[in-house]
Amino acid sequence: MEVLFTEFMSRLKNVHQQMKNALEGLPQEAIDWIPGEQMNSLGGLVAHTVGVELLFFKQTIGGEKVEHRSR
């Protein structure tokens, strides 16, 4: 189980680094820009990603029953 956890955390850190690299140096306007109707900004996508991760950790690892995700 420890090997699985270590590999999972390594991959999660890799994804976080890739997101950081993609956003690094962008002005706030670019992060907040919404490309079209019913589409998300880069900032919105990051917030969604972090929210899903939190939900995963609470439910899967923490054993909490989460009825719905807060916005």
Side-chain angles (χ1 to χ4, degrees), residues 21 25 35 39 56:
N21 292 346
M39 298 178 85
F56 170 79

PDB file of all heavy atoms in Angstrom, residues 21 25 35 39 56:
ATOM      1  N   ASN A  21       3.572  25.304 -14.114  1.00  0.00           N
ATOM      2  CA  ASN A  21       4.380  25.706 -15.272  1.00  0.00           C
ATOM      3  C   ASN A  21       3.517  26.366 -16.350  1.00  0.00           C
ATOM      4  O   ASN A  21       3.947  27.326 -16.985  1.00  0.00           O
ATOM      5  CB  ASN A  21       5.104  24.502 -15.872  1.00  0.00           C
ATOM      6  CG  ASN A  21       6.181  23.951 -14.962  1.00  0.00           C
ATOM      7  OD1 ASN A  21       6.594  24.584 -13.992  1.00  0.00           O
ATOM      8  ND2 ASN A  21       6.626  22.739 -15.246  1.00  0.00           N
ATOM      9  N   GLY A  25       3.930  33.102 -15.080  1.00  0.00           N
ATOM     10  CA  GLY A  25       4.233  34.224 -15.949  1.00  0.00           C
ATOM     11  C   GLY A  25       3.025  34.832 -16.641  1.00  0.00           C
ATOM     12  O   GLY A  25       3.142  35.878 -17.282  1.00  0.00           O
ATOM     13  N   PRO A  35     -12.916  31.958 -22.320  1.00  0.00           N
ATOM     14  CA  PRO A  35     -12.835  31.924 -23.782  1.00  0.00           C
ATOM     15  C   PRO A  35     -14.171  31.891 -24.509  1.00  0.00           C
ATOM     16  O   PRO A  35     -14.232  32.186 -25.702  1.00  0.00           O
ATOM     17  CB  PRO A  35     -12.035  30.656 -24.071  1.00  0.00           C
ATOM     18  CG  PRO A  35     -12.179  29.818 -22.864  1.00  0.00           C
ATOM     19  CD  PRO A  35     -12.383  30.752 -21.716  1.00  0.00           C
ATOM     20  N   MET A  39     -17.887  28.143 -20.834  1.00  0.00           N
ATOM     21  CA  MET A  39     -16.510  27.644 -20.741  1.00  0.00           C
ATOM     22  C   MET A  39     -15.897  28.232 -19.477  1.00  0.00           C
ATOM     23  O   MET A  39     -16.400  29.212 -18.928  1.00  0.00           O
ATOM     24  CB  MET A  39     -15.712  28.050 -21.979  1.00  0.00           C
ATOM     25  CG  MET A  39     -16.265  27.459 -23.261  1.00  0.00           C
ATOM     26  SD  MET A  39     -15.340  27.986 -24.702  1.00  0.00           S
ATOM     27  CE  MET A  39     -14.030  26.793 -24.683  1.00  0.00           C
ATOM     28  N   PHE A  56     -11.881  13.878  -3.285  1.00  0.00           N
ATOM     29  CA  PHE A  56     -11.300  12.544  -3.351  1.00  0.00           C
ATOM     30  C   PHE A  56     -10.658  12.161  -2.019  1.00  0.00           C
ATOM     31  O   PHE A  56     -10.892  11.077  -1.488  1.00  0.00           O
ATOM     32  CB  PHE A  56     -10.262  12.468  -4.472  1.00  0.00           C
ATOM     33  CG  PHE A  56      -9.459  11.198  -4.453  1.00  0.00           C
ATOM     34  CD1 PHE A  56      -9.986  10.029  -4.960  1.00  0.00           C
ATOM     35  CD2 PHE A  56      -8.183  11.174  -3.906  1.00  0.00           C
ATOM     36  CE1 PHE A  56      -9.256   8.844  -4.934  1.00  0.00           C
ATOM     37  CE2 PHE A  56      -7.452  10.001  -3.875  1.00  0.00           C
ATOM     38  CZ  PHE A  56      -7.994   8.828  -4.389  1.00  0.00           C
TER      39      PHE A  56
END
